[in-house]
Amino acid sequence: MGYRPSRFARGMVGPGLTTLGLVIADVLNPFFPEVVSGVLSAADERGWQVAIYSTGSALERESAVAATVVDHVDACVAFLLDPADIELIQRSGMPFVLLDNEHRPPAVSGGRIDFATGMRQAVGHLVERGHRRIAMLDDRGRPDAGDRGTRHSLFLRAATECGLPADGGWVFPAANSLDGGAAAMDDVLDTGFGATAVLAYNDLIAIGAMRRARDRGVSVPEDCAFVGCDGLTLSRLVDPPLTTLLVDKELLGRAAVQQVAALMTGAQARETVIVPRLVVRASS
Amino acid sequence: MGYRPSRFARGMVGPGLTTLGLVIADVLNPFFPEVVSGVLSAADERGWQVAIYSTGSALERESAVAATVVDHVDACVAFLLDPADIELIQRSGMPFVLLDNEHRPPAVSGGRIDFATGMRQAVGHLVERGHRRIAMLDDRGRPDAGDRGTRHSLFLRAATECGLPADGGWVFPAANSLDGGAAAMDDVLDTGFGATAVLAYNDLIAIGAMRRARDRGVSVPEDCAFVGCDGLTLSRLVDPPLTTLLVDKELLGRAAVQQVAALMTGAQARETVIVPRLVVRASS
DNA sequence: TTGAAAGCGCTAACAC
DNA sequence: GTGTTAGCGCTTTCAA
């Protein structure tokens, strides 16, 4: 007769379903679907439901999401920028794993990508190929630009370690998208920076930049080499195939769920580290 | 003191949060993130939570998901293949919108992509370019291969309408992935079918096939042209850029949520139709 | 076998 | 302002 038992009344008496909140920046950035895939399968193995929230990397949107998440899920895996949001969720007391954030408080579990190692590989590779002037296309959406541990600062450190006179002038801000990468490439070319190589915050920005460079008559990799930073499936398919730091994003998601499960059994906050691997392709 | 109010007890007394279940085949197929994006934003506008489920297009997995969904969400938007699963959800009485399924019972709301029109455009385009022998790479995972209304049968009809002697022999099954497209392209080449053009079930298969063709020395589009079928962002980025039927997948998702909302107010089952648009690029 | 009742954890209303 | 209680809709237990 169209009658449906109430989920709530039911959950009240039985053990009730665990809902894991997964907060990502943008499902259209191919980085996230891979993480989502890992989270979905690991959650499914435990019989958990996954609720997805997207912040668009917009700070006020992120706060709204954090506030919602706090009273609608039982545990949380999140990409979050604002320390206030991180604290809000942590203080809610639910199991919480923060991903890819360099400012993680020690009391919060985390999943980190070891870009320190990654950047050394990437910059080292470019220097080996003879590049002495490398532009870094940073994500301008991050409020912590240049802080210790960010790709921005790790790039500068790696470059310095290789003996390059790198400074803030080598870093160009880019919106986190193909178009953002393209616009930033315009900046690199128009300001006469004279880059023979471009290293981007992620593959999306790198691909956008590489295409724009080609459109403007720069030949890749002869005139300018390109290196990305997350190893999207996509990076293998573009022309030329992109050199990138391959990150096991699915594992990042799986490990986060695993950590949530550990927190539920009363384990201490821990950190999982994913080490990227440099994959050299035709773009460099 | 680490105390957390129970979601269930809370939902029991207050109005409680609406959770929309979104069932997709595979978050790693870039088709779905675009749909998810539309669903997320439309759901968010209504203050709904979205729980994601992935079937992997595996029939037994799909049944498990359908069974779960039925008692853990309040409404459902789904890509589903098995009629039994469709009926299960429909009979649960929750608002339900079925996407991209040619066998939708009339009592179920739906979101359909008008591939009849799309196929005519795509095949017409190839015929105009002088192609007389076109291989169709179908998704072999669909249990309804060749049924009325599928891309398979719409392809054959469109080809026939253009005066080509098309029959089942023109259709090659492919797994729904880049590798699947590559393997199917091997079939097309190895069986000596003699295609001068390949039209695929979707862009993923088309891109996989196109790359394999190139790797085997076929030049694109001179020796063989390629056309995809869903207009992924990716299709613009590959080399050569892929001719495809551009489908507004975000709109498909948004419209589905809108229909769910309508069903909640007691509206009749309806169908939304998305009309694809042929985008001609260098692959043909 | 069938039916009544207790109680899950919260909120809101009401009485003190 | 502070404290008490009814009741949300189920499931499970226990009684008839």
Side-chain angles (χ1 to χ4, degrees):
Chain A
M1 304 226 27
Y3 157 77
R4 318 205 63 227
S6 144
R7 275 167 38 222
F8 299 111
R10 182 167 257 234
M12 190 135 172
V13 60
L17 177 68
T18 297
T19 298
L20 175 70
L22 174 57
V23 181
I24 61 176
D26 179 9
V27 71
L28 295 180
N29 177 339
F31 176 87
F32 293 103
E34 298 195 40
V35 179
V36 170
S37 174
V39 169
L40 282 181
S41 58
D44 188 69
E45 284 163 14
R46 292 169 170 80
W48 299 348
Q49 189 182 56
V50 178
I52 300 228
Y53 300 84
S54 167
T55 66
S57 297
L59 259 29
E60 71 280 16
R61 174 109 189 77
E62 186 180 292
S63 302
V65 166
T68 305
V69 155
V70 158
D71 29 63
H72 294 312
V73 303
D74 305 305
C76 183
V77 170
F79 292 84
L80 245 25
L81 299 172
D82 189 338
D85 299 327
I86 293 167
E87 197 194 322
L88 179 70
I89 297 183
Q90 176 67 6
R91 284 212 333 219
S92 80
M94 77 176 112
F96 174 34
V97 177
L98 179 64
L99 298 183
D100 192 27
N101 187 305
E102 294 82 11
H103 308 283
R104 182 177 59 83
V108 179
S109 274
R112 187 167 64 85
I113 303 169
D114 179 8
F115 280 116
T117 302
M119 272 300 169
R120 270 192 217 101
Q121 295 180 67
V123 173
H125 161 72
L126 288 172
V127 169
E128 249 174 53
R129 288 279 205 271
H131 296 283
R132 311 292 305 163
R133 200 152 173 83
I134 305 170
M136 197 266 176
L137 272 33
D138 194 27
D139 177 4
R140 74 166 182 211
R142 300 201 45 158
D144 59 353
D147 283 8
R148 187 182 146 75
T150 59
R151 280 165 247 192
H152 176 139
S153 83
L154 294 171
F155 162 74
L156 292 179
R157 190 170 67 178
T160 306
E161 284 172 10
C162 288
L164 303 182
D167 62 30
W170 291 34
V171 178
F172 296 75
N176 193 349
S177 63
L178 291 168
D179 288 343
M185 191 68 218
D186 281 334
D187 288 345
V188 172
L189 295 172
D190 295 341
T191 58
F193 177 73
T196 65
V198 167
L199 187 158
Y201 180 84
N202 62 22
D203 287 9
L204 215 53
I205 293 174
I207 292 169
M210 184 165 75
R211 290 170 58 81
R212 175 58 54 88
R214 283 203 148 180
D215 287 349
R216 293 185 54 169
V218 175
S219 73
V220 180
E222 294 76 9
D223 297 338
C224 186
F226 286 82
V227 175
C229 247
D230 48 17
L232 303 183
T233 304
L234 173 55
S235 66
R236 222 168 35 90
L237 303 175
V238 295
D239 181 53
L242 183 70
T243 293
T244 184
L245 289 169
L246 189 63
V247 173
D248 191 337
K249 298 163 283 295
E250 192 140 353
L251 177 59
L252 183 66
R254 294 193 67 85
V257 172
Q258 157 105 48
Q259 283 189 75
V260 164
L263 289 172
M264 281 176 171
T265 70
Q268 292 291 310
R270 271 191 356 93
E271 180 182 70
T272 303
V273 179
I274 307 281
V275 181
R277 184 168 63 79
L278 181 70
V279 178
V280 178
R281 302 207 186 96
S283 74
S284 67
Chain B
M1 302 226 29
Y3 157 77
R4 319 204 62 227
S6 145
R7 278 168 34 224
F8 299 110
R10 179 168 261 232
M12 193 135 170
V13 60
L17 178 68
T18 297
T19 297
L20 175 70
L22 174 56
V23 181
I24 62 176
D26 179 9
V27 71
L28 294 181
N29 177 339
F31 177 86
F32 293 104
E34 298 196 38
V35 180
V36 170
S37 175
V39 169
L40 282 182
S41 56
D44 189 69
E45 285 164 14
R46 292 169 170 81
W48 299 349
Q49 189 181 55
V50 177
I52 300 228
Y53 300 83
S54 166
T55 67
S57 298
L59 258 29
E60 70 282 15
R61 174 113 188 76
E62 186 180 291
S63 303
V65 167
T68 305
V69 155
V70 158
D71 28 66
H72 294 313
V73 303
D74 305 304
C76 183
V77 170
F79 291 84
L80 246 24
L81 298 172
D82 189 337
D85 299 326
I86 293 168
E87 197 194 322
L88 179 69
I89 297 183
Q90 176 67 6
R91 284 210 335 217
S92 79
M94 76 176 113
F96 174 34
V97 176
L98 179 65
L99 297 183
D100 193 26
N101 187 305
E102 294 83 12
H103 309 282
R104 182 177 58 84
V108 179
S109 274
R112 187 167 64 85
I113 302 169
D114 179 9
F115 280 116
T117 302
M119 273 299 169
R120 270 191 217 101
Q121 295 179 67
V123 174
H125 161 72
L126 288 172
V127 169
E128 249 174 53
R129 288 279 206 273
H131 297 283
R132 313 291 305 161
R133 199 152 174 84
I134 305 170
M136 197 265 175
L137 271 33
D138 194 25
D139 177 5
R140 72 166 183 211
R142 299 200 47 158
D144 58 353
D147 284 7
R148 186 182 146 75
T150 59
R151 280 164 246 192
H152 175 140
S153 83
L154 293 171
F155 163 74
L156 293 179
R157 189 169 69 180
T160 305
E161 284 173 9
C162 289
L164 303 181
D167 62 29
W170 290 35
V171 179
F172 295 75
N176 193 348
S177 62
L178 291 167
D179 289 343
M185 191 68 217
D186 281 333
D187 288 345
V188 171
L189 294 171
D190 296 341
T191 58
F193 177 73
T196 66
V198 167
L199 187 158
Y201 180 83
N202 62 22
D203 287 9
L204 215 53
I205 294 175
I207 292 168
M210 184 165 76
R211 289 170 59 81
R212 175 58 53 87
R214 282 203 147 181
D215 287 349
R216 293 184 54 169
V218 175
S219 73
V220 180
E222 295 75 11
D223 297 339
C224 186
F226 286 82
V227 176
C229 247
D230 47 16
L232 303 183
T233 304
L234 172 55
S235 66
R236 222 168 35 90
L237 303 175
V238 295
D239 181 52
L242 183 69
T243 293
T244 185
L245 289 169
L246 189 63
V247 174
D248 191 338
K249 297 163 283 296
E250 192 140 355
L251 177 59
L252 183 66
R254 294 193 67 83
V257 172
Q258 157 105 49
Q259 283 188 75
V260 164
L263 289 171
M264 281 176 172
T265 69
Q268 291 291 310
R270 270 191 356 94
E271 181 182 69
T272 304
V273 179
I274 307 282
V275 180
R277 184 167 64 79
L278 181 71
V279 178
V280 179
R281 302 207 186 96
S283 74
S284 67

